[in-house]
């Protein structure tokens, strides 16, 4: 998506000091309801909101006809924060009068007199409300002006400005938040819910359920054959792409499934016999012609999309027709706007992009902690995490009141990547200020970049009565700033789960169909289809699948193993570095067979929560390199090597280098992480990657305790909030807590994906040597020795010639 609607509008909030009230009357804003007008947002202490505010519903909350929150939770945190996403409507829906419903709850520390939530759609003002609901969810209603909504994609933007009641410290800004109530937030149409989409082009308007997911419900009668499994996996990919579903969840049910819940697409797939078994009145098929159309059928849950053909090849052609109309062919964007707008800018090498194109507008700020974020996408063969850098060319300024020592920090994927101190005593103007960002924290796929500015001001230290009411501008960042990516190495590496979840590597980059080895039962096929739909969204394309591969071919091709752990062959577990299934102590009780309703982080918390470098891994992701027995191993190692002072000192030196620089010297006794990975007891989904028995073909395992628990947990695991956190060689996910345990790879192999030009080879070598510092040192020593020998020989020859 290029610059979406509202990129040029959506003027930033201004928080100004008290002034004359004459210009704040709502009647003085000409054409405030006219299309294209964006009312200025001002916080004037003691004065009313300038526009007619939305009012709380007193007769009881309304149930939305369409839910619109794009995730399980949407939480805005801090003093000044924005969030935008795309929601799709049909022509029939936009022709009706529409009411916007906002249900929310906020922190008790938020001062209602100055704190506001502003809503714009397609860059046009819709409503502005005071944040006044600390005791529980409140629903407010606002009529959406005619002409604001359009058939197709609509950019919804929330802007929150929050002020603390009493505290002026930077720490107090973490107490400010507003969270939407999904069940009370959405749109209501005059006359009741509109008819579901009836055209393929309206698939994105299927919408989401109360948790922000879109359910693809396949209606099927009878047993599941391998051919039908392959069609379901391929159709799930095509539907996810054509519908632009940010979180597709696949299920397979029998005929007469009952009413269609919100955010659900009914699909009948297969041959004429499959259609007759699943439908009361299946549509006729033309000879050798693929069928893709919506029909209304009582046995298929009402309105259903029929994808059929007389032969398997014709069914595949129908699925291809779906995928070909997705319209996602954009070389410099990765589609994420259904969850987080705008789409992520995609770098394949050196390049730059302005903040305005990343959705960051010029913003003046009068608070204490400003956070601005944007996504960056990198290819599957990105190989630059040990060498190279990106740069932020910042256009900004800060006021004379800002004390030296205030800090500007850059976070990438939740880790501190760069910091810059504001040192001028009388304010400063930064023009194209270079902030270097090492590529260490970047990985293939979507990366979250956040700029955080913490402003120290003398007045905040005193924090006298009414101090929180004084709002003088302290900082401004301009949308002319740029993010610049230097050139980086391009070569694939395996095992690499970040490349797998980020871009479907290497499965979606192979000419062969993906070999999927699984049992052909309902929960396993549904889980596999959910995974394939998520991978198709990451790659922005579909791939053929082979659900009945020849056993002899598995050793020479990429394979995806999916199922319950007890049906995974021991040889497969061994190849992907996982302990034998008999040694895995997963809980075999109902607590482990959850339905994905546990604690879920918000999209904002995954990309916008305040990074805490000291506790980041402990809170969400634990990283380990071996089997999980590090504490026991360290205790025994210290006891064993106590007799050898030299060995002990070497190991302590290894620990210091690893702890300080993140470098493993590979010294004897340091451990190579070669023990099989043992997933924690509360694991819901286990993902691991390794190599085939006799080749470099990549094998990937996705397993759960049972097929049913895997199906339920995969629905949670594939949420973008969790999916983007997967990397390394193995990952164990607990869907009840959202905890992810990562096992890093110790044996990586290269996969050539780009021409090995001198420039690319130089970058590859620079990264490899940076990761292998001992080899680097030895090469330098050998080069020095060789240089000394050659120099000595030349000097001797020259001396002999003179004699």
């Amino acid at each position: 998506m290029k610059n979406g609607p509202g990129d040029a509008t959506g003027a930033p909030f201004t928080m100004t000091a008290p002034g004359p009230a004459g210009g704040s009357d709502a009647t003085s804003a000409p054409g405030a309801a006219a299309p294209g007008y964006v009312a200025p947002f001002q916080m004037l202490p003691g004065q009313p909101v300038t526009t007619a505010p939305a009012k709380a519903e007193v007769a009881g909350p309304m149930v939305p006809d369409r839910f619109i929150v794009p995730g399980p939770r949407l939480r805005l945190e801090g003093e000044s924060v924005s969030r935008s996403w795309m929601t799709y409507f049909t022509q029939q829906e936009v022709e009706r009068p529409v009411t916007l419903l906002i249900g929310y709850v906020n922190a008790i520390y938020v001062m209602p007199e100055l704190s506001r939530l502003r809503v714009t759609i397609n860059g046009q003002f819709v409503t502005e409300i005071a944040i006044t609901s600390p005791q529980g969810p409140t629903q407010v209603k606002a009529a959406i002006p005619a002409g604001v909504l359009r058939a197709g994609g609509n950019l919804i933007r929330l802007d929150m400005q929050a002020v603390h009641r009493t505290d002026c410290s930077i720490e107090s800004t973490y107490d400010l938040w507003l969270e939407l109530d999904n069940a009370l937030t959405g749109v209501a149409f005059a006359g009741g819910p509109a008819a579901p989409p009836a055209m393929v082009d309206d698939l994105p308007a299927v919408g989401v359920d109360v948790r922000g997911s879109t359910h693809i419900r396949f209606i099927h009668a009878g047993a599941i054959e391998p051919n039908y499994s392959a069609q379901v996996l391929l159709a799930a990919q095509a539907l996810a792409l054509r519908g632009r579903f940010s979180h597709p969840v696949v299920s397979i049910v029998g005929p007469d499934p009952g009413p269609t819940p919100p955010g659900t697409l009914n699909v009948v797939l297969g041959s004429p016999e499959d259609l007759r078994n699943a439908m009361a009145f299946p549509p006729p098929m033309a000879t050798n012609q693929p069928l893709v159309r919506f029909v209304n059928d009582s046995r298929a849950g009402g309105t259903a999309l029929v994808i059929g053909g007389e032969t398997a090849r014709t069914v595949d052609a129908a699925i291809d027709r779906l995928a070909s109309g997705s319209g996602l062919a954009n070389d410099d964007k990765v589609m994420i706007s259904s969850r987080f707008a705008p789409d992520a800018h995609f770098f394949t090498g050196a390049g730059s992009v302005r903040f305005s194109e990343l959705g960051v507008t010029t913003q003046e700020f009068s608070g204490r902690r400003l956070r601005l974020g944007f996504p960056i996408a990198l290819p599957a063969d990105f190989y630059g995490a040990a060498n190279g850098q990106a740069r932020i060319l910042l256009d900004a300024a800060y006021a004379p009141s800002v004390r030296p020592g205030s800090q500007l920090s850059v976070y990438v994927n939740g880790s501190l990547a760069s910091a810059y101190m504001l040192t001028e005593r009388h304010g400063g103007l930064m023009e194209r200020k270079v902030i270097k960002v090492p590529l260490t924290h970047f990985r293939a796929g979507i990366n979250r970049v956040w700029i955080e500015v913490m402003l120290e001001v003398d007045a905040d230290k005193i924090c006298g009565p009414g101090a929180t009411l004084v709002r003088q501008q302290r900082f401004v960042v301009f949308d002319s700033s740029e993010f610049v990516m230097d050139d980086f190495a391009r070569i694939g590496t395996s095992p690499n789960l970040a490349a797998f979840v980020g871009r479907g590597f290497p499965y979606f980059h192979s000419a062969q169909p993906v070999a999927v080895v699984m049992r052909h039962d309902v929960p396993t096929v549904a889980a596999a289809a959910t995974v394939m739909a998520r991978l198709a969204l990451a790659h922005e394309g579909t791939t053929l699948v082979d659900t009945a591969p020849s056993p002899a071919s598995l050793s020479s091709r990429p394979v995806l193993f999916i199922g319950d752990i007890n049906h995974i062959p021991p040889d497969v577990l061994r190849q992907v570095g996982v302990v034998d299934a008999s040694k895995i102590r997963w809980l075999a009780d109902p607590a482990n067979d959850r339905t994905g309703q546990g604690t879920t982080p918000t999209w904002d918390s995954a990309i916008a929560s305040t990074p805490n470098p000291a506790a980041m891994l402990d809170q969400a992701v634990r990283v380990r390199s071996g089997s999980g027995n590090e504490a026991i191993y360290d205790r025994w190692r210290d006891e064993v090597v106590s007799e050898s002072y030299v060995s002990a000192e070497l190991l302590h030196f290894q620990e210091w280098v690893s702890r300080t620089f993140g470098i493993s010297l590979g010294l004897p006794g340091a451990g190579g992480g070669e023990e099989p990975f043992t997933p924690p007891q509360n694991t819901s989904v286990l993902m691991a990657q390794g190599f085939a028995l006799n080749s470099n073909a990549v094998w990937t395992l996705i397993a759960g305790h049972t097929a049913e628990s895997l199906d339920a947990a995969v629905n949670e695991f594939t949420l973008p909030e969790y999916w983007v956190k997967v990397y390394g060689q193995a990952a164990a996910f607990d869907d009840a807590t959202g905890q992810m345990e990562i096992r890093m790879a110790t044996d990586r192999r290269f996969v050539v994906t780009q021409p090995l030009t001198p420039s690319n080879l130089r970058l590859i070598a620079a990264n490899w040597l940076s990761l292998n510092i001992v080899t680097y040192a030895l090469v330098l020593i050998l080069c020095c020795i060789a240089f000394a020998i050659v120099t000595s020989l030349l000097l001797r020859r020259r001396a002999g010639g003179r004699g």
Side-chain angles (χ1 to χ4, degrees), residues 43-261:
M43 293 185 177
L44 304 179
Q47 296 187 18
V49 181
T50 60
T51 59
K55 296 183 178 179
E57 174 62 33
V58 295
M62 293 179 59
V63 177
D65 295 327
R66 284 274 306 274
F67 298 112
I68 62 172
V69 180
R73 293 174 62 197
L74 197 159
R75 187 181 178 106
L76 306 178
E77 299 174 321
E79 295 176 290
S80 176
V81 62
S82 301
R83 172 70 185 273
S84 55
W85 67 92
M86 297 293 292
T87 296
Y88 295 81
F89 295 99
T90 65
Q91 182 65 42
Q92 181 184 3
E93 289 173 330
V94 302
E95 289 175 351
R96 294 189 184 187
V98 185
T99 300
L100 176 68
L101 309 175
I102 300 289
Y104 75 97
V105 63
N106 58 268
I108 195 171
Y109 301 102
V110 176
M111 179 185 290
E113 293 84 1
L114 287 183
S115 302
R116 297 290 185 269
L117 176 69
R118 185 191 200 199
V119 184
T120 59
I121 299 179
N122 295 326
Q124 300 187 51
F125 175 83
V126 174
T127 188
E128 175 184 305
I129 63 177
I131 303 175
T132 60
S133 184
Q135 303 302 324
T138 296
Q139 187 185 67
V140 296
K141 300 188 296 184
I144 300 178
V148 171
L149 292 182
R150 61 190 65 165
N154 294 262
L155 183 69
I156 298 177
R157 181 182 174 97
L158 305 180
D159 292 282
M160 182 187 79
Q161 291 282 355
V163 178
H164 201 283
R165 289 178 180 270
T166 58
D167 201 336
C168 304
S169 66
I170 292 177
E171 290 74 16
S172 69
T173 63
Y174 296 101
D175 297 329
L176 304 175
W177 55 264
L178 177 148
E179 183 172 323
L180 295 187
D181 187 321
N182 289 21
L184 299 179
T185 302
V187 294
F189 302 102
M199 296 187 297
V200 174
D201 288 341
D202 288 335
L203 275 175
V206 171
V208 297
D209 67 0
V210 73
R211 301 189 75 243
S213 302
T214 303
H215 295 262
I216 304 174
R217 189 167 68 173
F218 287 91
I219 315 295
H220 179 71
I224 296 180
E225 302 295 334
N227 184 62
Y228 183 78
S229 298
Q231 292 173 349
V232 169
L233 267 59
L234 187 57
Q237 298 176 60
L239 290 168
L241 288 172
R242 189 65 180 267
R244 299 173 181 263
F245 304 143
S246 65
H247 181 223
V249 174
V250 178
S251 60
I252 303 174
V253 300
D256 301 309
T260 301

Side-chain angles (χ1 to χ4, degrees), residues 233-242 319-320 322-324 326 507-508 510 514 532 535-537 539-545:
L233 267 59
L234 187 57
Q237 298 176 60
L239 290 168
L241 288 172
R242 189 65 180 267
I319 297 173
D320 287 341
L322 271 176
S324 63
S326 62
Y507 299 88
F508 282 68
S510 174
V514 176
M532 293 303 296
L535 292 173
L537 287 170
H539 180 69
E540 296 192 319
T542 63
T543 184
L544 296 176
V545 295

Side-chain angles (χ1 to χ4, degrees), residues 395-442:
D395 291 336
Y398 54 98
S401 59
V402 176
R403 296 174 52 190
S406 299
Q407 183 168 299
L408 184 151
S409 303
V410 179
Y411 294 89
V412 178
N413 295 325
S415 299
L416 179 63
S418 184
Y420 173 75
M421 303 297 292
L422 306 181
T423 58
E424 298 294 332
R425 294 185 177 275
H426 304 290
L429 179 64
M430 295 180 282
E431 296 181 278
R432 317 298 285 174
K433 176 63 181 179
V434 178
I435 309 294
K436 295 182 179 180
V437 184
L439 297 184
T440 304
H441 304 291
F442 287 83

